[in-house]
Amino acid sequence: MKRARAPRSPATVSPEVLAALCGACADVRREEPLHLHVSFRIGGPAEVLVVPRSADELRAVACALFAAGVPYAILGRGSNLLISDRGVSGIVLKIGHGLDRARWSATGVTAEAGAGLPALAMRASERGLGGLEFAAGIPASVGGAIAMNAGAHGHSMDEITDFVTVLRPSGEETWGRHDLAFAYRTSRLQREPGIVLDVTLRLTPADPGRTRATLASWLDDRARTQPIGPPSSGCIFRNPPGDAAGRLIDAAGAKGLRSGAVEVSDVHANYMINAGGGRAADVLTLVDDVRHRVRERFGVELELEVKLVGEFPSR
Ligand SMILES: Cc1cc2nc3c(=O)[nH]c(=O)nc-3n(C[C@H](O)[C@H](O)[C@H](O)COP(=O)(O)OP(=O)(O)OC[C@H]3O[C@@H](n4cnc5c(N)ncnc54)[C@H](O)[C@@H]3O)c2cc1C
């Protein structure tokens, strides 16, 4: 289906910056449709998408970006992002395939930022390492999981993170768990410039039969209680203290609400589903509606968990 969209702002990436990026990375794309790169399957194009395929390429791209002092957005697996229908002016950096090697030891793993979290969780279990079972159903890159402090089943990344290599304007830094200032679904990486290059997780020896059983039962729970399959961005709202956003949304009668091709899931009320050809504007209409209903009914202000990327002129 053809996607009509509002025009974006004029080009912002100068020929000099573009040339520096092309010198640093073999895969630089103009006007790349971003709906192809996010789990919601929503969003317009990136003015420039840069896809480094190795640690050295990522280092070179980071150097070019920091030297130019230009803004950029980072995309991991795109499973917690809502991209504007107009797309993204400027540079988007995609960290995924090609930057996904993992080095295992007896006490854990060092994985490049683009490594997939579910595959790491499976591999850890097979290798007799425990601690990552909770992550098997989170469709994240390990870098994105650190940035968001992803979690499930009462566990989260902060519990198993040993240290992280971060590319910063001041150079390459190693941040320990405490430097990352983890909190519920956030970390220092949401507030300061930094590109995760790799992540070292500390795991514990565990019987593979036991970790496999835990992992399988948690995946079963997820399949029963969450809409796995249709395009979504996972939970749209953060849980307010002491409660679950999904419970409040359900009790406020918002399950099944629809705007265009996007609807509030009737399986898990904190998910919105793109039934095909959905638009960011539809998601935001539903966000406003759900927030209004929950505020009116419970006096609770829901905050977004999903990150908005690009131009959202109406907000
Ligand atoms: C079906 C489904 C189920 C989900 N279930 C869960 C769940 O159980 N628990 C949970 O916590 N989340 C869940 N999520 C949300 C999502 O998977 C997490 O938020 C995840 O951490 C996002 O990782 P990502 O690689 O997709 O990052 P993206 O969505 O691409 O980016 C998220 C944020 O991380 C930043 N980022 C990404 N990579 C890097 C990097 N290398 N360096 C610095 N910053 C970076 C981005 O800039 C952005 O701010 C779910 C999503 C879906 C679609």
Side-chain angles (χ1 to χ4, degrees):
M1 186 194 307
K2 179 134 178 56
R3 290 166 180 252
R5 60 184 165 87
R8 214 184 45 221
S9 307
T12 62
V13 181
S14 70
E16 294 74 26
V17 170
L18 194 57
L21 291 170
C22 290
C25 177
D27 191 350
V28 176
R29 308 178 198 177
R30 310 284 300 273
E31 298 301 326
E32 171 75 3
L34 287 180
H35 71 275
L36 301 175
H37 298 272
V38 295
S39 58
F40 227 159
R41 295 288 178 263
I42 287 177
E47 186 182 340
V48 175
L49 181 73
V50 185
V51 191
R53 305 282 182 179
S54 69
D56 284 344
E57 267 197 349
L58 179 55
R59 285 188 180 97
V61 167
C63 271
L65 288 174
F66 295 143
V70 289
Y72 60 89
I74 308 176
L75 206 74
R77 295 282 160 120
S79 62
N80 197 50
L81 302 179
L82 178 63
I83 309 283
S84 158
D85 295 319
R86 292 184 173 201
V88 184
S89 294
I91 298 156
V92 179
L93 184 55
K94 175 164 175 166
I95 301 177
H97 299 297
L99 256 167
D100 52 3
R101 286 174 306 176
R103 209 174 52 249
W104 293 88
S105 73
T107 55
V109 61
T110 298
E112 289 179 336
L117 200 58
L120 278 184
M122 302 285 184
R123 211 69 17 92
S125 166
E126 288 160 13
R127 287 177 164 265
L129 290 169
L132 201 47
E133 300 88 296
F134 74 89
I138 304 178
S141 66
V142 71
I146 292 288
M148 291 300 302
N149 191 19
H153 313 289
H155 299 279
S156 45
M157 294 304 290
D158 56 326
E159 293 169 26
I160 51 170
T161 301
D162 201 356
F163 53 88
V164 170
T165 310
V166 188
L167 305 175
R168 301 254 293 159
S170 46
E172 197 162 316
E173 297 179 8
T174 302
W175 288 1
R177 184 196 314 189
H178 296 294
D179 302 313
L180 281 152
F182 286 120
Y184 168 64
R185 300 296 173 265
T186 192
S187 74
R188 181 175 166 191
L189 291 157
Q190 293 295 333
R191 298 183 293 278
E192 288 183 34
I195 303 169
V196 174
L197 176 65
D198 60 42
V199 174
T200 298
L201 302 177
R202 180 171 292 277
L203 303 172
T204 45
D207 169 43
R210 191 181 58 74
T211 53
R212 200 182 316 120
T214 304
L215 196 148
S217 102
W218 281 342
L219 286 177
D220 279 354
D221 279 356
R222 197 176 268 273
R224 270 188 298 102
T225 57
Q226 296 173 18
I228 309 297
S232 82
S233 222
C235 288
I236 294 286
F237 299 102
R238 293 161 65 83
N239 288 325
D243 212 329
R247 188 196 74 76
L248 295 171
I249 297 167
D250 190 2
K255 253 188 182 173
L257 284 179
R258 194 174 172 110
S259 173
V262 181
E263 69 181 45
V264 176
S265 165
D266 55 12
V267 179
H268 188 310
N270 199 11
Y271 276 61
M272 290 182 191
I273 298 304
N274 174 10
R279 300 173 60 84
D282 298 322
V283 175
L284 294 181
T285 300
L286 286 178
V287 161
D288 289 344
D289 194 350
V290 165
R291 269 184 167 156
H292 175 73
R293 287 170 188 245
V294 168
R295 188 187 309 121
E296 291 288 295
R297 176 83 192 271
F298 300 106
V300 172
E301 197 61 45
L302 290 179
E303 281 177 41
L304 286 179
E305 177 165 315
V306 71
K307 303 280 170 201
L308 306 192
V309 180
E311 298 182 13
F312 287 93
S314 62
R315 296 182 79 77

